[in-house]
Amino acid sequence: MLSHDLPKQLFEAIKERWGRDVLEIQSNHEKIRTYHGKQTGFSTDYAAGVHLILLADYLDLNGISFGTPIDNTWLKKGRKFRDFSETWHWKYWKDQFARAGLHLVMPINHISEAGALRICEQSDLIDVINSCLRGKGTEYCGKCWKCFHKNGPLGRDINPQSNEIQNFLTKMPLRTAQHALWAIQLMQLEHLVPHLSDEFNQSLHWWEHAYLPGLELIQDPWKTVVEERTRKFLPIMERPQLLHQVDLFPDIPF
Ligand SMILES: [Zn+2]
């Protein structure tokens, strides 16, 4: 069963520590797909924003931000570089939002999951930031894939021998591939994935750094503040060609 206790704990902390309003809207929107014989889930990448789109006039919004990292912007399915600014996805959805009078804002399109973790580490909310959806109450499970690649690299206890983690580690193509490889190398767990040994010939430390060309996709007035904060929290990729060269498991079709 999925649990939202951990995100709720974060919302409470944002209200208490930062004194900010958090708007929570009850919804069973992910059920709509089941009316069409499909599994429960979001119908598109931006379905989670439906409530904000509908409330945009009421809240007087200029744009809506989504925390999509490099893994799903400049990389296709986390394993092959693409020029995101030229993709169907970016052009189509940017226009769809514009039709609703909104900017589609991607403030971390130039930052990987790893970079996002490094930023979270520097936040006073780090003790309540946790992506695990299988925990009990305020405890993360330590056994799911999210725990493996998000909690493990933060130095939190996980069990890499769990069924789910073992399944994901042996499945090809490796899910969230570039990020998972970084996490495996960082946690020195290469021995768990002998079939991937070729991928660890070089340090994957660069994956934590920011990819400056992505800033061009962020509209003003947000671009200025995002650039300022990016430079404050993260080093910039010195060799962006390492990202450009990402093409993992090219023999396996998408
Ligand atoms: Zn978990």
Side-chain angles (χ1 to χ4, degrees):
M1 272 295 282
L2 296 185
S3 152
H4 290 95
D5 290 346
L6 285 166
K8 284 197 167 158
Q9 191 189 4
L10 174 62
F11 295 161
E12 285 308 312
I14 292 172
K15 285 189 240 178
E16 282 168 22
R17 296 184 201 174
W18 289 6
R20 290 184 66 160
D21 292 333
V22 176
L23 198 61
E24 286 180 64
I25 300 156
Q26 205 168 17
S27 164
N28 59 356
H29 172 253
E30 71 276 13
K31 297 273 179 220
I32 294 175
R33 277 163 52 97
T34 62
Y35 308 153
H36 304 277
K38 296 187 171 176
Q39 277 191 331
T40 304
F42 288 138
S43 49
T44 69
D45 291 320
Y46 299 105
V50 160
H51 319 90
L52 266 184
I53 293 168
L54 293 173
L55 285 166
D57 278 347
Y58 176 74
L59 297 170
D60 196 20
L61 301 182
N62 197 355
I64 298 181
S65 292
F66 290 83
T68 316
I70 291 182
D71 310 58
N72 297 311
T73 55
W74 298 89
L75 293 189
K76 183 178 180 182
K77 293 197 186 291
R79 65 175 168 112
K80 187 179 178 20
F81 180 79
R82 59 180 177 180
D83 181 349
F84 185 61
S85 63
E86 291 299 321
T87 54
W88 174 89
H89 180 110
W90 172 244
K91 291 178 178 173
Y92 175 80
W93 286 110
K94 188 166 52 92
D95 287 353
Q96 292 299 103
F97 275 78
R99 283 183 191 188
L102 290 164
H103 284 295
L104 168 59
V105 189
M106 303 278 245
I108 65 162
N109 82 82
H110 61 309
I111 292 171
S112 67
E113 284 274 15
L117 289 175
R118 292 293 178 233
I119 293 175
C120 289
E121 274 180 327
Q122 298 171 65
S123 167
D124 62 347
L125 293 172
I126 184 61
D127 58 310
V128 284
I129 293 174
N130 204 308
S131 299
C132 178
L133 292 175
R134 298 188 196 281
K136 280 199 185 114
T138 55
E139 283 298 308
Y140 64 95
C141 78
K143 295 185 273 188
C144 71
W145 188 239
K146 272 187 196 282
C147 276
F148 179 77
H149 67 78
K150 295 194 185 203
N151 280 327
L154 286 171
R156 295 171 177 164
D157 271 344
I158 55 156
N159 175 12
Q161 302 296 344
S162 77
N163 285 341
E164 179 170 326
I165 295 171
Q166 284 297 318
N167 272 339
F168 274 100
L169 285 176
T170 44
K171 215 161 152 184
M172 287 294 275
L174 181 66
R175 196 149 145 193
T176 51
Q178 182 62 38
H179 179 70
L181 291 172
W182 166 85
I184 292 165
Q185 190 181 61
L186 184 86
M187 295 187 280
Q188 299 181 313
L189 294 174
E190 292 96 329
H191 59 280
L192 295 178
V193 285
H195 59 295
L196 299 174
S197 58
D198 287 353
E199 312 299 342
F200 302 112
N201 293 334
Q202 55 160 346
S203 162
L204 301 175
H205 187 59
W206 61 270
W207 179 242
E208 298 175 22
H209 302 165
Y211 179 62
L212 279 190
L215 287 172
E216 297 308 316
L217 266 51
I218 305 171
Q219 304 86 342
D220 279 319
W222 305 288
K223 183 181 169 184
T224 315
V225 65
V226 170
E227 176 162 11
E228 203 179 281
R229 294 197 182 174
T230 301
R231 291 182 186 280
K232 179 177 164 194
F233 291 116
L234 289 180
I236 307 302
M237 277 183 202
E238 278 175 17
R239 294 173 61 203
Q241 61 270 33
L242 290 173
L243 179 67
H244 299 162
Q245 287 162 3
V246 171
D247 186 6
L248 295 161
F249 322 119
D251 299 336
I252 306 176
F254 281 96

